[in-house]
Amino acid sequence: MSLAFLIFLVAWVIGMIGTFVPALPATVIIFIGSVAATLVDGFQPWPDLPFLLTFLVITILISMVDNVASAWGARKYGGSKQAVWGAVIGGLVGILPVIPFGLIVGPLAGALIAELLIVRKAPMDALRSAWGTLVGLLAGIAAKVVLHLLIGLYELWRLWEPAKSVF
């Protein structure tokens, strides 16, 4: 394995773990790892520049997946903007290790609390909205996992050159 391969591998593993932590910019971590690996590997205008520019556009689009998926789930199930924000805040609180299944319970509870206390919806309507927001968030996370996996595998394949082995 080359040094560039190892640099990207570490960034990719951190990014994959960060996909499940709302506060970490997982896609950006993976992109920075790719840039660092490309520089260490000896940047070549062709084919590295087109690859990095394409990856930058994909990074920006992937970064929007959470917002689009949350909004879709909230709208589909009648949720408000406050429910989306409640789900995001609940997801951040859910990171705390004292909350079992916090990454699922946090967004659901946050959206439900926002709908009940801020929007003042009836309990059943609030629960339906919160559920939709949670479905959207989970769909966004699933999409990011797949995209991060595909990007990571492609970059690892691109950097794999057994002849430049560190070991």
Side-chain angles (χ1 to χ4, degrees):
M1 285 187 259
S2 68
L3 181 59
F5 184 91
L6 290 173
I7 288 170
F8 179 75
L9 182 63
V10 168
W12 184 53
V13 168
I14 292 169
M16 287 299 290
I17 293 168
T19 303
F20 300 97
V21 181
L24 286 178
T27 309
V28 174
I29 291 169
I30 294 171
F31 176 71
I32 290 170
S34 184
V35 171
T38 301
L39 293 174
V40 166
D41 199 35
F43 177 79
Q44 302 286 325
W46 181 262
D48 293 336
L49 186 59
F51 168 75
L52 291 175
L53 290 175
T54 302
F55 194 8
L56 175 63
V57 170
I58 291 170
T59 298
I60 292 167
L61 293 174
I62 292 173
S63 296
M64 291 187 235
V65 165
D66 282 340
N67 296 333
V68 171
S70 296
W72 169 82
R75 254 190 221 113
K76 183 160 177 61
Y77 289 86
S80 65
K81 289 180 184 178
Q82 293 86 347
V84 174
W85 279 106
V88 169
I89 293 168
L92 292 172
V93 172
I95 294 171
L96 300 174
V98 295
I99 302 173
F101 304 105
L103 291 176
I104 295 173
V105 174
L108 181 63
L112 182 62
I113 290 168
E115 291 286 47
L116 288 172
L117 300 180
I118 298 171
V119 181
R120 301 201 184 278
K121 283 190 175 181
M124 287 309 291
D125 291 337
L127 188 58
R128 178 177 159 84
S129 299
W131 175 253
T133 304
L134 177 65
V135 166
L137 282 172
L138 293 177
I141 289 171
K144 281 181 131 178
V145 165
V146 169
L147 293 169
H148 289 165
L149 186 64
L150 292 173
I151 286 171
L153 291 174
Y154 176 78
E155 179 68 348
L156 290 172
W157 173 79
R158 191 175 83 90
L159 293 169
W160 179 254
E161 291 186 39
K164 298 191 310 187
S165 180
V166 171
F167 301 107

